[in-house]
C-alpha cells in the first residue's frame, strides 16, 4: 500500500470513527479547559486557623491583625487554651493552630529563651499545611521586623531580612505548576489510547494492510503533533500559563514526542486481540505515569529501579523537555539529556512497531 492512501485513510478513520475521535480529539479539547479550571485562583484562600493568644500584648495583637488581613487564611476562632484549639482541628473546623505564649514581647526584646511562637499544622493535606505555614510565618516575620527593627539598630539585635523571589512560575500558582506537567500526560495518553485501538481494531477485522505502516505512523504523528502545538500555543495562551520560551525547539521536539508515542501505541496495538483489550491494558497506566513523570516528586529522589522504569515512558523525557522549553526558555542544549532519551525511545519503539506491522 502506498504512503499517501495509508496516511489519508488513517486520518479519516480517526476523525470518522466515534470511539477514536472521542479519545484523540474530543478528550484533548475537554481536558484543555477542564483540568486548569479548578486551579484558576492559583493559590488556596480562606483556610481556617485558630488562635491561642496567651500574651494579649500589642505585639500579639499586631500578629493577629496581619494574619486577618491575608487572603490565604481566615481566623476561625480565638480560644483560651490548646485543648480547645486541638478540638477544633480534630473536628476539621481549622487547618492549623497559632500559639502566642505569655510575655512574648518582653522575651523577644530581652532575647530570653522560651520566647518563640508555636504553630501546629494539619499535615494530612500537604498543600493546605504549606499555605497556612507560609502565611503564618510571613505575618509573624512582618510584625516582628516592624517592631524590632528600631531596637536592632540601637541594641545590636540582628534583624536580617530574607527575600525570596521565584525564578520561574513567578506567581507561585498551583495551576501554573501542575498543568504544564499534566498536559504532557494528557497528550501522551489520549494519543496512546486512540492509536493502539486503531491498530488493534484494524488487525481484528482484517483491515490492516502490509505496507501501510509508514503512512499510518505519519498520520498518527500528525494528530499528536497538532494536539501538542494546540496545547503549547493556543491553550497556554488562553489560560495565561507561561509559554513560548523557546518556540523553534518546541517545533522540533513536539513531532519527535508524537512519533515516539505513536510508535509505542502501534506496537501495543499489534500485541493485543482487539481495541477493547488495548484500552483495558492502557487505561490503568495513567495514574502511575503521572507519578513516574517526575513532576510530583523528583526523579533523582526515587529508587534506581523506579527511575529506570520511568525513563522508558515517553512522557518522562517529554516533561523534562517541554517544561524547560515552554516555561523556562531553555535551549536545546540544556535539555539534550532528556532529548537523547526520547530519540532512543523513538528508535526502539519505531523498530518494534515496524517489525510487528510491516
Amino acid at each position: 500500500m502506498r504512503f499517501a492512501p495509508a496516511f489519508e485513510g488513517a486520518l479519516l478513520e480517526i476523525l470518522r470513527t466515534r470511539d477514536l475521535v472521542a479519545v484523540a480529539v474530543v478528550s484533548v479539547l475537554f481536558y484543555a479547559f477542564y483540568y486548569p479550571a479548578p486551579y484558576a485562583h492559583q493559590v488556596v484562600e480562606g483556610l481556617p486557623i485558630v488562635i491561642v493568644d496567651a500574651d494579649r500584648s500589642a505585639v500579639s495583637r499586631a500578629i493577629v491583625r496581619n494574619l486577618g488581613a491575608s487572603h490565604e487564611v481566615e481566623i476561625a476562632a480565638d480560644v483560651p487554651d490548646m485543648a480547645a484549639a486541638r478540638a477544633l482541628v480534630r473536628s476539621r473546623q481549622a487547618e492549623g493552630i497559632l500559639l502566642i505564649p505569655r510575655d512574648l514581647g518582653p522575651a523577644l526584646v530581652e532575647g530570653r529563651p522560651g520566647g518563640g511562637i508555636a504553630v501546629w499544622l494539619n499535615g494530612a493535606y500537604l498543600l493546605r499545611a504549606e499555605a497556612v505555614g507560609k502565611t503564618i510565618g510571613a505575618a509573624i516575620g512582618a510584625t516582628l521586623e516592624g517592631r524590632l527593627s528600631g531596637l536592632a539598630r540601637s541594641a545590636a539585635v540582628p534583624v536580617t531580612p530574607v527575600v525570596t523571589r521565584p525564578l520561574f512560575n513567578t506567581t507561585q500558582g498551583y495551576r501554573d505548576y501542575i498543568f504544564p506537567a499534566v498536559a504532557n500526560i494528557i497528550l501522551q495518553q489520549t494519543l496512546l489510547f486512540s492509536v493502539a485501538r486503531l491498530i488493534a481494531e484494524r488487525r481484528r477485522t482484517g483491515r490492516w494492510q502490509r505496507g501501510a505502516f509508514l503512512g499510518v505512523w505519519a498520520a498518527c504523528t500528525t494528530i499528536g503533533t497538532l494536539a501538542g502545538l494546540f496545547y503549547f500555543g493556543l491553550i497556554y495562551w488562553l489560560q495565561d500559563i507561561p509559554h513560548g520560551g523557546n518556540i523553534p525547539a518546541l517545533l522540533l521536539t513536539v513531532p519527535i514526542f508524537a512519533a515516539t508515542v505513536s510508535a509505542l501505541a502501534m506496537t501495543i496495538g499489534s500485541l493485543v486481540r482487539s481495541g477493547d483489550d488495548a484500552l483495558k491494558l492502557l487505561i490503568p497506566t495513567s495514574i502511575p505515569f503521572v507519578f513516574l513523570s517526575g513532576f510530583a516528586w523528583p526523579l533523582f529522589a526515587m529508587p534506581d529501579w523506579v527511575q529506570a522504569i520511568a525513563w522508558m515512558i515517553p512522557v518522562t523525557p517529554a516533561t523534562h523537555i517541554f517544561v524547560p522549553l515552554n516555561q523556562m526558555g531553555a535551549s536545546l542544549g540544556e535539555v539534550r539529556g532528556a532529548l537523547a532519551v526520547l530519540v532512543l525511545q523513538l528508535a526502539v519503539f519505531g523498530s518494534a512497531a515496524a517489525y510487528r506491522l510491516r
Side-chain angles (χ1 to χ4, degrees):
M1 190 175 188
R2 290 189 305 159
F3 177 88
F7 177 84
E8 182 181 355
L11 277 182
L12 291 176
E13 183 170 348
I14 291 173
L15 296 177
R16 289 174 176 173
T17 305
R18 185 178 59 184
D19 294 348
L20 296 179
V21 78
V23 177
V25 179
V26 177
S27 294
V28 172
L29 292 171
F30 174 73
Y31 281 117
F33 295 96
Y34 162 75
Y35 203 89
Y39 316 115
H41 292 296
Q42 296 276 22
V43 294
V44 291
E45 296 180 350
L47 293 170
I49 63 169
V50 57
I51 305 290
V52 181
D53 185 359
D55 190 36
R56 301 292 176 184
S57 66
V59 173
S60 68
R61 286 193 294 272
I63 292 173
V64 174
R65 276 198 305 275
N66 278 339
L67 274 176
S70 67
H71 296 292
E72 289 82 1
V73 300
E74 178 181 316
I75 298 174
D78 187 344
V79 297
D81 53 46
M82 283 298 295
R86 288 196 187 98
L88 288 174
V89 173
R90 288 196 180 103
S91 62
R92 305 184 67 175
Q93 297 179 57
E95 296 290 339
I97 302 171
L98 172 62
L99 171 62
I100 305 175
R102 192 183 305 277
D103 296 331
L104 170 68
L108 290 173
V109 172
E110 297 169 10
R112 282 192 277 114
I117 299 172
V119 178
W120 280 264
L121 301 173
N122 180 2
Y125 300 95
L126 190 59
L127 188 64
R128 300 183 197 178
E130 182 182 8
V132 171
K134 287 174 66 176
T135 303
I136 291 177
I140 293 172
T143 304
L144 297 185
E145 185 179 352
R147 296 272 172 172
L148 300 179
S149 57
L151 182 64
R153 285 191 292 271
S154 60
V157 176
V159 177
T160 304
V162 177
V163 178
T164 303
R165 298 193 185 281
L167 187 56
F168 308 107
N169 186 10
T170 53
T171 63
Q172 294 187 287
Y174 191 68
R175 185 199 60 183
D176 289 356
Y177 151 69
I178 197 167
F179 186 64
V182 172
N184 303 317
I185 304 284
I186 295 171
L187 293 171
Q188 172 182 282
Q189 294 302 88
T190 51
L191 187 62
L192 201 60
F193 295 171
S194 56
V195 175
R197 184 175 177 83
L198 168 72
I199 300 302
E201 282 299 294
R202 279 195 175 189
R203 293 180 70 249
R204 183 183 70 84
T205 57
R207 291 182 295 112
W208 178 257
Q209 298 181 24
R210 303 189 73 84
F213 171 73
L214 286 179
V216 173
W217 189 12
C220 297
T221 299
T222 301
I223 294 282
T225 301
L226 292 176
L229 297 180
F230 172 69
Y231 267 54
F232 300 153
L234 182 63
I235 293 303
Y236 278 23
W237 175 71
L238 287 176
Q239 301 284 359
D240 195 26
I241 292 170
H243 62 282
N246 190 338
I247 293 175
L250 283 168
L251 292 175
L252 172 68
T253 53
V254 169
I256 296 175
F257 171 65
T260 305
V261 175
S262 299
L264 174 61
M266 293 177 76
T267 304
I268 294 171
S270 72
L271 294 171
V272 295
R273 293 176 301 179
S274 68
D276 289 345
D277 285 353
L279 294 184
K280 290 175 187 173
L281 176 68
L282 292 173
I283 285 175
T285 63
S286 297
I287 297 299
F289 286 175
V290 168
F291 295 104
L292 288 173
S293 65
F295 82 90
W297 184 255
L299 268 179
F300 62 82
M302 297 180 187
D304 292 342
W305 66 271
V306 177
Q307 293 184 46
I309 294 173
W311 284 109
M312 296 178 187
I313 306 163
V315 76
T316 301
T319 299
H320 291 78
I321 293 171
F322 296 148
V323 172
L325 292 180
N326 249 323
Q327 273 68 52
M328 305 175 186
S331 66
L332 275 177
E334 289 170 312
V335 298
R336 61 185 181 278
L339 182 58
V341 173
L342 188 63
V343 171
L344 178 62
Q345 289 183 359
L346 175 63
V348 173
F349 296 145
S351 301
Y355 174 77
R356 292 285 305 170
L357 295 169
R358 290 191 73 173

